[in-house]
């Protein structure tokens, strides 16, 4: 490559990098100045370093963008290159004689007239960026801070040559915050005297004043005072943040202007425990269970201790002979400190748990709070190990639930089965269709006999219900059975078949001795002595007639179904269902089997109409005292512009009632602001607003009675007149 071209190329790259840095550096300085103003010196230093590194990286990238392709394009734009600048960067062995001759001409021309490849300086952009940066830096360093005091002017020299005394002013301030070690927070320093810190943090102030005050201190709103010590013109003091506080800087002589600073505390929250496994609090064990898996998750804002205590209690026995045996197991957690997980598998055999026992587990965790850790417990988890009787009972109950619904169908289910059979008619043979229709007819017959029992009808000696395998799959009964039949829902399926044998209607052949006047003998002689649960249910005549009509429709439906004609049976089944709904809504009276055994009447407790010993209905009305007299008085004093409020009494009330207020520091700040500026109307309004939030709301007054009419008034007069 031509030496002149190489120099021009490198100069263009340097110019490109310089232009980028000239624009980026003022912007970075302006951003760093804003960071210093809004945050701290350390933050501003970090922003400046990162910004300069980013600007250097951007300048390098922009310079490298001027590569060989860019150079060829720039040279081709000049007449000396003759649109053949790429020949300068091609190997001579690969060129033909004509190309070599053209290359020599271009190289000689560029040596005689070196190209200028550097870009011009963007003067307007540089001027705009420079002016904006200077303005931002000037505002950041020169604009007074909120609540700060302007720098002290030079002392005025009098004619006698002595300097007039000027009050000191706060020039700079630093607050160093050292959080407790258990929080894991790093030490930080800020220039603002307000802050929100962790509870029990160690605070250290470093203040500088213009002039040399004789004394300096921090005055807190509750009366506490921290004296500052001077060393090399810097006043320092420390305090442990055990409670939220308001304070101000006081000096002798007094500062030209002062303000209140607020310190809010972030208390350490206790840990929380969540049960992951098992999902339910009460777990029913399985027969032969030997292990029980437990998993917990503990959370805390600053960290949970690595070890936790699992308390396991074994309850044995029943009734009053229950014994408890406790055992504590130490568990190690996994995961981050703020979210640890604890898992353990209990060996039931090692615990000595057997059938009929209860195993109770509860996890207790602690956080890293010092000096006294805070603890939390999980909910108690109970594993109940069943006995053999419980297992057999559960199996029997499951068998009954699986079997009985197939025996007793509801009228609605019979209709559903008949319609389903009609829908499958084209897919079934004639014999299969008739067999299924007959099975539905058997269900209709069984249901008819159940309802017939409530009318005193006898069973027809029907065979036992068919096995469940021959019945349709849709065998879940609906809720259209009337309430009296509820007592028969779990009868044995052979009740209908054995009904004649149990009651054997040969009443004339009864050889039992007759006792004159016996109600049972009269019923045995002239009526049927069926089940007392059925005889105890009385239906009114209208309900009996409706139920009789339902039985007639069931009879017709049964006949059609048994003959293999479910389509003709459906109208009768629908009518039977409608009659059953009417029976459900009818009134029924249930009589007890025995007469009621009521306790004897205590004549001494009956009202006799005498008024002796009755207190007067006219109760005296006592006036309620207004709550919080101190703040009520200050509220009234603040209402008048010229009346000074009693701020000392209000401060005493605040210290006594600080616990029940949502934001006591705001009220204290309003008190101190008005104390420092008694004539400030804005401060008076702010204090009134804070007092309004602190006032207790009065109890609502009882509603006044409505004015009675003439009859009511005469009744009230008669009550007041007495006997």
């Amino acid at each position: 490559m031509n030496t002149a071209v190489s120099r021009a190329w490198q100069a263009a790259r340097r110019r490109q990098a310089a232009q980028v840095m000239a624009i980026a550096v003022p912007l970075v300085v302006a951003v760093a100045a804003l960071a210093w103003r809004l945050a701290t010196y350390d933050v501003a230093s970090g922003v400046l370093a990162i910004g300069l590194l980013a600007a250097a990286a951007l300048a390098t990238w922009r310079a490298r963008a001027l590569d060989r392709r860019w150079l060829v394009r720039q040279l081709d734009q000049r007449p000396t290159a003759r649109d053949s600048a790429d020949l300068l960067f091609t190997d001579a062995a690969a060129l033909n004689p004509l190309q070599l001759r053209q290359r020599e001409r271009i190289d000689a021309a560029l040596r005689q007239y070196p190209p200028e490849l550097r870009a011009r300086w963007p003067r307007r952009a540089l001027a705009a960026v420079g002016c904006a940066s200077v303005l931002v830096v000037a505002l950041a360093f020169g604009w007074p801070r909120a609540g700060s005091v302007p720098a002290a002017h030079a002392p005025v020299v009098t004619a006698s040559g002595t300097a007039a005394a000027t009050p000191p002013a706060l020039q700079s301030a630093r607050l160093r915050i050292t959080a407790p070690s258990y929080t894991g927070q790093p030490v930080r320093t800020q220039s603002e005297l307000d802050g929100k810190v962790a509870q029990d943090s160690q605070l250290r102030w470093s203040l500088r004043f213009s002039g040399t005050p004789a004394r300096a201190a921090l005055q807190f709103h509750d009366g506490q005072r921290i004296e500052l010590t001077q060393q090399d013109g810097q006043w320092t003091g420390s305090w442990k943040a055990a409670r939220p506080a308001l304070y101000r800087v006081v000096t002798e002589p007094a500062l030209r202007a002062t303000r209140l600073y607020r310190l809010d505390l972030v208390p350490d929250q206790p840990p929380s425990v969540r049960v992951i496994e098992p999902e339910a609090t009460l777990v029913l064990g399985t027969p032969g269970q030997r292990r029980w898996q437990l998993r917990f998750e503990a959370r805390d804002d600053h960290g949970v201790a690595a070890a936790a205590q699992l308390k396991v209690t074994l309850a044995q026995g029943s009734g009053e002979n229950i014994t408890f045996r406790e055992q504590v197991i130490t568990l190690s957690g996994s995961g981050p400190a703020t979210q640890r997980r604890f898992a353990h598998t209990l060996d039931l055999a090692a615990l000595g748990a057997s059938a009929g026992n209860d195993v109770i587990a509860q996890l207790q965790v602690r956080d890293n709070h010092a000096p006294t850790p805070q603890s939390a417990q999980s909910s108690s988890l109970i594993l109940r190990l069943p006995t053999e009787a419980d297992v057999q009972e559960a199996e029997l109950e499951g068998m009954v639930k699986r079997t009985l619904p197939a025996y007793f169908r509801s009228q609605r289910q019979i209709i559903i089965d008949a319609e389903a059979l009609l829908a499958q008619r084209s897919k079934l043979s004639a014999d299969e269709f008739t067999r299924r229709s007959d099975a539905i007819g058997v269900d209709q017959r069984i249901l008819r006999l159940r309802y017939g029992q409530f009318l005193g009808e006898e069973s027809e000696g029907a065979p036992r219900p068919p096995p469940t395998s021959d019945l349709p799959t849709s065998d879940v009964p609906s809720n259209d059975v009337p309430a009296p039949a509820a007592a028969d829902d779990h009868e044995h399926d052979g009740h209908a078949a054995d009904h004649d044998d149990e009651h054997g209607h040969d009443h004339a052949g009864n050889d039992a001795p007759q006792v004159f006047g016996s109600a049972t003998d009269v019923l045995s002689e002239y009526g049927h002595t069926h089940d007392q649960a059925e005889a105890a249910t009385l239906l009114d005549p209208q309900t009996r007639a409706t139920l009789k009509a339902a039985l007639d429709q069931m009879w017709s439906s049964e006949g059609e179904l048994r003959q293999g004609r479910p389509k003709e049976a459906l109208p009768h089944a629908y009518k039977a269902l409608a009659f059953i709904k009417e029976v459900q809504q009818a009134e029924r009276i249930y009589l007890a089997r025995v007469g009621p055994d009521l306790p004897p009447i205590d004549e001494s407790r009956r009202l006799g109409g005498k008024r002796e010993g009755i207190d007067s209905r006219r109760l005296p009305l006592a006036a309620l005292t207004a709550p919080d007299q101190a703040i009520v008085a200050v509220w009234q004093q603040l209402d008048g512009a010229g009346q000074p409020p009693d701020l000392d009494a209000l401060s005493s009330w605040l210290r006594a009632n600080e616990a029940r207020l949502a934001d006591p520091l705001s009220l204290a700040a309003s008190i101190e602001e008005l104390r420092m500026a008694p004539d400030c109307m804005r401060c008076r309004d702010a204090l009134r607003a804070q007092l309004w939030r602190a006032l207790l709301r009065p109890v609502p007054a009882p509603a006044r009675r409505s004015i009675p009419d003439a009859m009511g008034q005469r009744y009230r007069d008669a009550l007041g007149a007495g006997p």
Side-chain angles (χ1 to χ4, degrees):
M1 183 192 301
N2 195 324
T3 306
V5 174
S6 178
R7 288 203 199 97
W9 186 18
Q10 296 300 326
R13 283 189 166 187
R14 288 193 296 269
R15 175 65 61 86
Q16 184 71 14
Q19 289 179 358
V20 173
M21 293 297 293
I23 294 176
V25 169
L27 295 179
V28 172
V29 172
V31 173
L34 288 178
W36 174 83
R37 177 57 186 264
L38 299 177
T40 61
Y41 175 79
D42 297 335
V43 174
S45 301
V47 169
L48 181 61
I50 295 174
L52 292 178
L53 289 176
L58 179 61
T60 303
W61 176 74
R62 291 287 296 171
R64 289 183 178 179
L66 306 183
D67 53 2
R68 182 176 295 179
R69 299 171 114 188
W70 174 86
L71 179 60
V72 170
R73 289 196 303 268
Q74 294 296 322
L75 294 177
D76 285 342
Q77 294 176 4
R78 289 163 173 74
T80 55
R82 300 180 182 181
D83 212 12
S84 302
D86 55 335
L87 297 176
L88 297 174
F89 305 99
T90 306
D91 188 8
L95 299 178
N96 55 40
L98 181 60
Q99 291 175 335
L100 288 173
R101 186 175 180 82
Q102 181 73 1
R103 176 179 176 179
E104 291 175 358
R105 289 181 178 181
I106 296 173
D107 185 65
L110 290 177
R111 289 178 184 276
Q112 185 177 1
Y113 303 102
E116 179 60 42
L117 303 178
R118 294 179 298 178
R120 295 182 179 181
W121 287 97
R123 297 183 179 181
R124 292 184 179 180
L126 293 175
V129 171
C131 293
S133 177
V134 171
L135 180 61
V136 171
V137 172
L139 291 176
F141 283 91
W143 194 272
R145 295 180 180 270
S148 63
V149 180
H153 299 284
V156 180
V157 181
T158 60
S160 59
T162 60
T166 57
L170 184 61
Q171 282 187 332
S172 64
R174 288 192 177 231
L175 178 60
R176 181 183 176 88
I177 304 171
T178 305
S181 58
Y182 69 85
T183 62
Q185 299 178 2
V187 179
R188 57 190 177 95
T189 304
Q190 62 183 35
S191 59
E192 298 294 334
L193 297 183
D194 297 297
K196 181 180 291 187
V197 300
Q199 192 171 11
D200 296 332
S201 295
Q202 193 70 30
L203 307 181
R204 183 174 180 83
W205 287 266
S206 298
L207 309 178
R208 287 185 179 275
F209 301 95
S210 63
T212 306
R215 297 177 61 184
L218 302 178
Q219 182 66 48
F220 289 81
H221 75 283
D222 57 357
Q224 184 181 4
R225 185 183 179 94
I226 298 178
E227 297 292 339
L228 303 180
T229 59
Q230 181 187 15
Q231 184 178 4
D232 299 333
Q234 186 171 353
W235 296 81
T236 59
S238 60
W239 179 67
K240 186 177 182 180
R243 64 187 183 281
L246 293 170
Y247 71 97
R248 65 176 183 270
V249 180
V250 295
T251 59
E252 292 183 6
L255 294 173
R256 284 204 303 265
T258 185
R259 55 158 291 194
L260 282 174
Y261 302 99
R262 177 168 178 163
L263 291 175
D264 290 311
L265 300 187
V266 181
D268 182 23
Q269 300 297 329
S272 61
V273 186
R274 181 175 66 92
V275 180
I276 301 178
E277 187 180 354
E279 297 180 356
T281 305
L282 176 61
V283 181
L284 298 179
T286 58
Q289 182 175 353
R290 301 181 59 86
R291 297 183 179 277
W292 189 24
Q293 179 68 32
L294 302 174
R295 287 197 303 158
F296 305 88
E297 182 182 74
R299 293 174 177 264
D300 188 71
D301 48 357
H302 297 305
V304 182
Q309 305 294 326
L310 180 63
K311 181 180 178 181
V312 181
T313 304
L314 178 63
Q316 297 176 318
S318 61
E320 297 181 356
N321 299 323
I322 299 179
T323 59
F324 298 94
R325 189 173 62 188
E326 294 184 357
Q327 182 179 354
V328 178
I329 303 174
T330 302
L331 304 182
S332 298
S334 60
T338 57
Q339 184 179 353
R340 293 190 186 275
R341 292 203 171 191
F342 300 88
H344 185 70
T345 302
L346 287 178
D347 189 349
L348 302 180
L351 290 175
S354 58
N357 297 160
D358 289 350
V359 181
I360 307 170
Q362 187 180 43
L363 183 71
Q364 182 179 11
V365 299
R366 296 185 178 184
D367 61 4
N368 297 324
H369 187 274
T372 304
Q374 302 179 96
S375 62
Q377 295 179 347
S378 67
S379 57
S380 296
L381 305 176
I382 304 175
L383 174 63
R384 183 157 294 168
L385 300 176
T387 60
E388 295 182 0
D390 296 336
V391 175
Q392 294 176 359
E393 182 179 354
E395 293 178 352
L396 179 61
E397 182 181 358
M399 180 183 65
V400 171
K401 289 182 179 179
R402 290 191 301 270
T403 305
L404 287 183
Y407 290 162
F408 298 126
R409 302 296 183 90
S410 65
Q411 187 62 29
R412 190 189 306 275
Q413 189 64 44
I414 291 174
I415 294 174
I416 294 174
D417 293 344
E419 292 177 345
L421 180 61
L422 287 174
Q424 300 176 358
R425 185 169 190 171
S426 60
K427 303 178 182 179
L428 301 176
S429 62
D431 295 340
E432 179 67 17
F433 182 79
T434 304
R435 188 186 67 81
R436 291 194 180 185
S437 178
D438 181 70
I440 300 175
V442 173
D443 294 339
Q444 180 70 86
R445 180 172 181 272
I446 295 174
L447 185 62
R448 177 177 60 82
L449 293 178
R450 289 182 60 198
Y451 283 102
Q453 296 174 8
F454 300 101
L455 294 180
E457 296 184 357
E458 294 298 335
S459 173
E460 301 175 0
R464 293 178 180 272
T468 57
S469 60
D470 297 333
L471 295 177
T473 56
S474 177
D475 58 0
V476 181
S478 66
N479 296 329
D480 58 10
V481 180
D488 299 331
D489 286 347
H490 298 289
E491 286 189 62
H492 193 274
D493 58 285
H495 175 73
D498 300 333
H499 194 281
D500 293 338
D501 299 335
E502 290 179 6
H503 300 290
H505 294 108
D506 189 8
H507 300 293
N510 189 0
D511 297 334
Q514 303 290 334
V515 180
F516 181 80
S518 175
T520 56
D521 294 336
V522 174
L523 183 59
S524 300
E525 184 176 0
Y526 298 102
H528 294 289
T529 57
H530 293 288
D531 188 4
Q532 295 182 5
E534 299 169 1
T537 303
L538 300 183
L539 303 177
D540 57 273
Q542 182 179 359
T543 304
R544 292 175 61 87
T546 305
L547 185 57
K548 183 65 172 64
L551 294 178
D552 294 340
Q553 296 297 330
M554 289 183 183
W555 177 272
S556 301
S557 173
E558 176 190 347
E560 300 293 345
L561 289 170
R562 299 298 294 268
Q563 297 180 33
R565 297 196 294 266
K567 185 176 181 180
E568 289 77 4
L570 280 177
H572 303 289
Y574 274 112
K575 291 180 181 179
L577 178 61
F579 287 132
I580 290 174
K581 290 300 182 183
E582 293 183 15
V583 173
Q584 288 182 350
Q585 299 174 1
E587 296 181 355
R588 292 177 290 276
I589 303 174
Y590 300 93
L591 300 178
R593 297 186 182 182
V594 296
D597 187 11
L598 301 178
I601 299 176
D602 187 2
E603 299 290 344
S604 62
R605 300 181 60 186
R606 301 188 65 180
L607 299 178
K610 298 181 180 181
R611 299 174 58 88
E612 289 80 1
I614 299 178
D615 295 337
S616 175
R617 296 174 61 90
R618 298 179 179 178
L619 300 177
L621 298 178
L624 294 176
T625 57
D628 302 335
Q629 290 293 333
I631 57 177
V632 171
V634 175
W635 170 270
Q636 296 174 350
Q637 294 168 1
L638 289 172
D639 193 18
Q643 188 176 9
D646 190 357
L647 298 181
D648 294 335
L650 184 58
S651 299
S652 301
W653 176 89
L654 177 60
R655 286 192 291 270
N657 299 270
E658 189 172 331
R660 75 172 182 85
L661 298 180
D663 190 7
L665 287 186
S666 297
L667 179 56
S670 300
I671 296 173
E672 294 299 324
E673 288 179 359
L674 185 59
R675 194 188 301 273
M676 291 186 294
D679 298 333
C680 177
M681 296 302 299
R682 181 189 61 81
C683 302
R684 296 174 72 95
D685 295 339
L687 182 56
R688 281 174 59 86
Q690 292 294 334
L691 289 179
W692 176 258
R693 300 187 183 96
L695 281 171
L696 291 176
R697 300 297 179 263
V699 180
R704 302 181 67 87
R705 293 183 178 179
S706 59
I707 301 176
D709 54 8
M711 182 178 294
Q713 188 62 39
R714 289 197 299 271
Y715 178 73
R716 291 180 60 183
D717 295 342
L719 289 177

